[in-house]
């Protein structure tokens, strides 16, 4: 949803609005994901209670934690690649991805 808005702001050279949009999207996504992470992690043992053969899968509890932590970092830097695609630094995004 943000890509057309970012492209429009770049075409009109409104870098301040891109900065504001980036901060708003990042903050809102981070707050929602932190809430979801806290809810899931606080009840991870209860979630495993409903899984068949839970003794096997409970060993992966920390895997869930580290994947969720990685996703939190991904969400914190939400639309970086979209902003780079429409900027003059699109080549660096191409190389990095």
């Amino acid at each position: 949803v943000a890509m057309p808005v970012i492209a429009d702001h770049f075409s009109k050279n409104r870098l301040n609005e891109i900065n504001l949009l980036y901060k708003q999207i990042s903050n809102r996504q981070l707050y929602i994901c932190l809430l979801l992470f806290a809810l899931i992690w606080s009840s991870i043992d209860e979630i495993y209670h409903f899984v068949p053969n839970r003794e096997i899968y409970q060993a992966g509890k920390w895997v869930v934690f580290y994947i969720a932590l990685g996703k939190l970092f991904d969400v914190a830097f939400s639309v970086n690649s979209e902003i780079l695609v429409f900027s003059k630094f699109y080549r660096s995004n191409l190389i990095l991805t």
Side-chain angles (χ1 to χ4, degrees):
V1 174
M3 287 185 74
V5 177
I6 293 169
D8 182 52
H9 289 324
F10 265 118
S11 69
K12 296 175 182 170
N13 200 24
R14 293 190 224 155
L15 299 179
N16 289 333
E17 292 187 29
I18 293 172
N19 186 26
L20 180 65
L21 182 69
Y22 173 72
K23 289 177 184 177
Q24 288 175 346
I25 291 172
S26 296
N27 287 338
R28 289 178 184 155
Q29 284 183 345
L30 185 60
Y31 295 148
I32 292 169
C33 286
L34 278 172
L35 176 66
L36 288 173
F37 174 71
L39 289 173
I40 290 171
W41 188 248
S42 65
S43 61
I44 191 74
D45 294 324
E46 289 81 16
I47 292 171
Y48 277 125
H49 179 71
F50 294 108
V51 175
N53 298 326
R54 64 179 168 261
E55 294 81 22
I56 297 169
Y57 295 107
Q58 279 183 329
K61 177 177 163 179
W62 289 102
V63 173
V64 172
F65 177 79
Y66 288 119
I67 289 174
L69 192 64
K71 289 296 178 184
L72 281 174
F73 278 104
D74 187 35
V75 166
F77 303 111
S78 64
V79 290
N80 282 348
S81 62
E82 287 82 0
I83 291 173
L84 281 174
V85 165
F86 295 112
S87 74
K88 63 183 178 180
F89 303 107
Y90 68 92
R91 287 185 187 102
S92 62
N93 186 47
L94 180 66
I95 292 169
L96 291 173
T97 55

